[in-house]
Amino acid sequence: MITQGDSTSYLEPARSLFLHGAYSNHGLLELDRTPGYPIFTALTGAAFGNILLTASVQITLAALTLLIIRKTAILSFSSERAGYIAAWLFALEPLSIASTIRIMPETLFVLLLVLVIERLLTFRTTSRLTTLCIAGLSLAAATYVRPVSYYLVLPLAIALVVACRKQRKLRWQAPAVLLVSTIPLIAAWQVRNQMEAGYGGFSSIVERNLYFYQSAEVAAELQKTSLAVEQENLGYTDEQSYLACHPDQRSWTPAQRLRYMRTAALAIIAQHRWLYARTHLAGIAVVAFTPGSTEFLQLLNLYPSPESMPRRILNEGIFRSTGRAFHQHFVAAFWMFYFEGFLLGLYIFAAMGLRVGKGSTFANMTMVGIALYFLLISGGAQAVGRYRLPVVPELCILAAGSLSSFRTKQERGLEDPARRVAIPAA
């Protein structure tokens, strides 16, 4: 329950780095996984197989995340009640619970992300450039944990230009500090990849997802087959399978193979832009609306055998998949719908928070922009529900803004001048 398929891909580089001083995976230079989370697991004991200690540290980080979310909500809505509500909403969200004891980078990544948001809102209040420096360093660290935030610094810098348009010095100083504290650190890893492997990217997982997921999904739609069949045709399983499908690449370097993957994938996508757009939007829907109940139920050993559950809702159809799940596994399906209701309620109250929450415009736009960024960039055939976790803090904070504006009848009665009772003087 603590490890899953991708956990090994983080643990092996960590073990190699700690024991041999080389960031590699089974003797091969590691290009897929950036070193943020592997270093974290090594420092917390996973290098010696003590993943329970790593999970314990993640639980502590999750508790710290709650405190930062609370402070961010207070900065956004100037309300202690909003802070407590936002923290409780995130604490009760199933993905946030399940991620704390999974040997996966989501918990650490979300902690760094909410720190970025909190520092940005603090800067808007204090105009201190040192807070932006901390935000930039946190964003760079988050990108080393999960490369998905690679492009986020650019829209944040533009947002600072707009926010500081009436302050001549800050209009250029603020985005400059954010960019200078972020981009050089990210570029350093790309220099390492170029020098060690001739690969100029930040993480080769980008090329692999393009080739084995996004273009493969387009090809599967064209051939009227499943994604799994198309991935098998491309040799997705392991290196031996890949070379069996591409025998001419046996003498190629890893960088040459990655360049081929990118070129071939982009060629297919360019020829079928609308079909790719449809599959990408479908992936966004998976990220946005998958309730996260699977991970939570697995922790409680209540999730049925994966073979008996619908595996590709996009291929089988939502209604057919739902009907089969209820018919075969009613309890699991019930909890899935329960958590789906929690998620939809979160979206509804977050939207209401933008209208009635009385949050600052900068805070609202920052959280909406960051949430949209992660939803849009996480689409495609590789999309899974856990990719939504970076969006959840923003939803909880915005939802807390609307929920904190609801007052009880007793509170409204006490504030109604017609119902006030004069208190006699002593």
Side-chain angles (χ1 to χ4, degrees):
M1 292 185 292
I2 293 178
T3 60
Q4 60 181 56
D6 290 341
S7 298
T8 302
S9 65
Y10 294 100
L11 294 175
E12 284 300 325
R15 187 176 293 109
S16 175
L17 181 64
F18 194 76
L19 298 179
H20 307 295
Y23 192 70
S24 60
N25 194 335
H26 294 97
L28 300 176
L29 186 68
E30 178 59 42
L31 296 174
D32 282 358
R33 301 304 184 190
T34 46
Y37 189 66
I39 290 176
F40 168 79
T41 60
L43 293 176
T44 54
F48 298 101
N50 193 349
I51 58 174
L52 291 177
L53 180 57
T54 300
S56 299
V57 174
Q58 287 188 172
I59 293 173
T60 304
L61 296 184
L64 180 59
T65 301
L66 296 178
L67 296 178
I68 300 176
I69 288 175
R70 173 182 171 270
K71 183 179 178 182
T72 305
I74 294 174
L75 287 171
S76 301
F77 299 104
S78 302
S79 168
E80 287 280 350
R81 175 183 290 182
Y84 285 113
I85 292 175
W88 272 107
L89 288 175
F90 188 76
L92 295 173
E93 210 280 335
L95 279 177
S96 71
I97 297 172
S99 67
T100 58
I101 64 168
R102 293 273 189 172
I103 305 302
M104 294 292 288
E106 274 73 23
T107 296
L108 178 60
F109 180 79
V110 170
L111 169 66
L112 295 168
L113 177 64
V114 297
L115 181 59
V116 172
I117 298 174
E118 185 273 332
R119 291 288 85 190
L120 288 173
L121 299 192
T122 300
F123 164 77
R124 191 66 182 131
T125 303
T126 63
S127 298
R128 294 176 60 181
L129 293 174
T130 53
T131 61
L132 283 183
C133 183
I134 297 174
L137 295 174
S138 300
L139 181 56
T143 306
Y144 272 86
V145 174
R146 280 197 65 202
V148 68
S149 59
Y150 180 84
Y151 301 103
L152 184 58
V153 65
L154 297 179
L156 289 181
I158 294 172
L160 287 173
V161 172
V162 176
C164 300
R165 62 185 182 279
K166 295 182 179 180
Q167 299 167 286
R168 182 172 298 180
K169 287 186 177 181
L170 287 180
R171 186 172 56 188
W172 66 267
Q173 288 179 341
V177 169
L178 184 68
L179 291 171
V180 168
S181 58
T182 305
I183 291 179
L185 294 176
I186 295 176
W189 190 249
Q190 292 184 236
V191 172
R192 173 263 186 187
N193 290 341
Q194 181 65 46
M195 294 179 62
E196 295 287 338
Y199 169 69
F202 188 71
S203 169
S204 59
I205 202 69
V206 175
E207 284 76 14
R208 296 187 186 279
N209 282 343
L210 273 174
Y211 189 65
F212 290 117
Y213 280 97
Q214 297 174 359
S215 66
E217 178 72 9
V218 173
E221 293 285 342
L222 292 173
Q223 300 295 330
K224 306 299 181 184
T225 60
S226 67
L227 174 64
V229 170
E230 192 61 32
Q231 287 178 327
E232 184 178 354
N233 294 336
L234 296 175
Y236 172 65
T237 307
D238 51 37
E239 185 177 10
Q240 292 182 350
S241 300
Y242 179 81
L243 293 177
C245 297
H246 306 81
D248 56 316
Q249 298 186 22
R250 291 184 180 276
S251 61
W252 289 16
T253 64
Q256 289 175 317
R257 295 175 189 171
L258 292 171
R259 281 193 288 270
Y260 165 80
M261 290 180 187
R262 172 179 283 274
T263 302
L266 292 179
I268 294 175
I269 291 173
Q271 293 175 5
H272 307 280
R273 291 185 176 90
W274 290 110
L275 181 57
Y276 167 72
R278 192 181 73 186
T279 60
H280 190 83
L281 289 174
I284 292 175
V286 170
V287 174
F289 297 109
T290 299
S293 54
T294 299
E295 293 85 351
F296 188 80
L297 293 174
Q298 285 174 341
L299 296 180
L300 303 178
N301 201 26
L302 295 177
Y303 191 73
S305 171
E307 288 75 16
S308 63
M309 294 292 287
R311 301 189 66 181
R312 291 286 298 167
I313 294 177
L314 298 182
N315 290 348
E316 295 186 22
I318 294 177
F319 294 106
R320 182 179 177 184
S321 299
T322 301
R324 184 152 70 90
F326 263 102
H327 178 72
Q328 296 181 0
H329 307 287
F330 178 80
V331 174
F334 170 81
W335 283 107
M336 289 179 181
F337 267 75
Y338 176 82
F339 287 128
E340 185 68 36
F342 181 93
L343 175 61
L344 293 177
L346 205 57
Y347 278 113
I348 292 171
F349 284 113
M352 293 174 61
L354 293 173
R355 186 173 64 87
V356 302
K358 298 181 181 180
S360 69
T361 301
F362 179 77
N364 288 345
M365 293 302 98
T366 297
M367 285 182 285
V368 169
I370 292 176
L372 288 176
Y373 168 86
F374 284 110
L375 286 177
L376 292 174
I377 205 169
S378 300
Q382 78 278 8
V384 291
R386 66 181 176 88
Y387 290 169
R388 188 183 65 256
L389 191 59
V391 180
V392 176
E394 296 90 333
L395 293 177
C396 292
I397 293 169
L398 292 173
S402 63
L403 291 172
S404 64
S405 66
F406 297 152
R407 292 172 294 181
T408 64
K409 292 182 179 180
Q410 182 180 5
E411 291 174 324
R412 291 196 296 268
L414 290 175
E415 293 182 4
D416 187 356
R419 298 185 59 182
R420 287 179 181 167
V421 178
I423 301 177

